[in-house]
């Protein structure tokens, strides 16, 4: 009986330890995500929360796969994932927030033969899209 009571207490203690560790991990993850978003917003001048409706309005997902955007599973253009780790945009210009914003607005400025059309996305909208892509 004593052995059963000790096993029960050990199981309870182990459960509490796991819960505390998990809570710490979640808290740290949320803090890191908040920091990342603040940096992205400062770099781009955009708000990633506004991007999903803009992606849908302009039909970006018809050509691109975009993580986190339902139905954005196009195969015509490059997948828009891990943009913060990419070196180049469209294979022709350095990946900077300014260049990504300008590329979204008018890719032919950098690559006259680009298959990506001029979509009519404004510079302000492009900043929101860039913020979203860098925040992934």
């Amino acid at each position: 009986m004593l052995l059963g009571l000790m096993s029960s207490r050990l199981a309870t203690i182990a459960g509490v330890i796991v819960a505390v560790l998990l809570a710490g991990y979640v808290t740290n993850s949320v803090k890191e995500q908040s920091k990342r978003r603040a940096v992205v917003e400062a770099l781009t001048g955009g708000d990633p929360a506004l991007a999903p409706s803009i992606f849908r309005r302009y039909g970006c997902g018809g050509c691109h796969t975009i993580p986190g955007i339902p139905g954005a599973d196009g195969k015509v253009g490059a997948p828009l994932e891990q943009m913060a780790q990419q070196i180049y945009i469209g294979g022709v210009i350095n990946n900077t927030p300014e260049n990504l914003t300008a590329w979204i607005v008018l890719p032919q400025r950098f690559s006259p033969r680009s298959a990506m059309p001029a979509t009519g996305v404004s510079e302000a909208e492009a900043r929101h899209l860039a913020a979203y892509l860098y925040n992934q």
Side-chain angles (χ1 to χ4, degrees):
M1 183 153 151
L2 182 60
L3 187 57
L5 182 60
M6 288 178 60
S7 293
S8 176
R9 284 186 180 169
L10 285 176
T12 301
I13 291 170
V16 169
I17 290 171
V18 168
V20 168
L21 290 174
L22 184 58
Y25 173 77
V26 169
T27 300
N28 190 45
S29 179
V30 169
K31 285 180 184 177
E32 287 300 315
Q33 196 172 27
S34 294
K35 285 181 190 177
R36 182 178 189 167
R37 182 176 172 150
V39 168
V40 163
E41 288 176 357
L43 288 174
T44 63
D47 181 349
L50 299 177
S53 65
I54 298 169
F55 281 127
R56 286 189 290 277
R57 184 177 324 126
Y58 289 97
C60 303
C63 292
H64 298 281
T65 299
I66 309 168
I69 305 297
D73 55 3
K75 305 293 184 219
V76 176
L80 302 180
E81 56 192 13
Q82 299 180 353
M83 286 300 295
Q85 286 79 41
Q86 302 299 319
I87 305 293
Y88 295 105
I89 299 165
V92 296
I93 56 172
N94 289 331
N95 185 2
T96 68
E98 296 80 18
N99 284 348
L100 181 56
T101 299
W103 175 272
I104 293 168
V105 171
L106 187 61
Q108 288 74 22
R109 174 178 168 199
F110 302 100
S111 181
R113 296 176 47 139
S114 174
M116 183 171 161
T119 59
V121 173
S122 72
E123 184 176 333
E125 291 169 321
R127 290 186 181 289
H128 299 314
L129 298 178
Y132 181 91
L133 294 172
Y134 285 139
N135 198 45
Q136 296 303 304

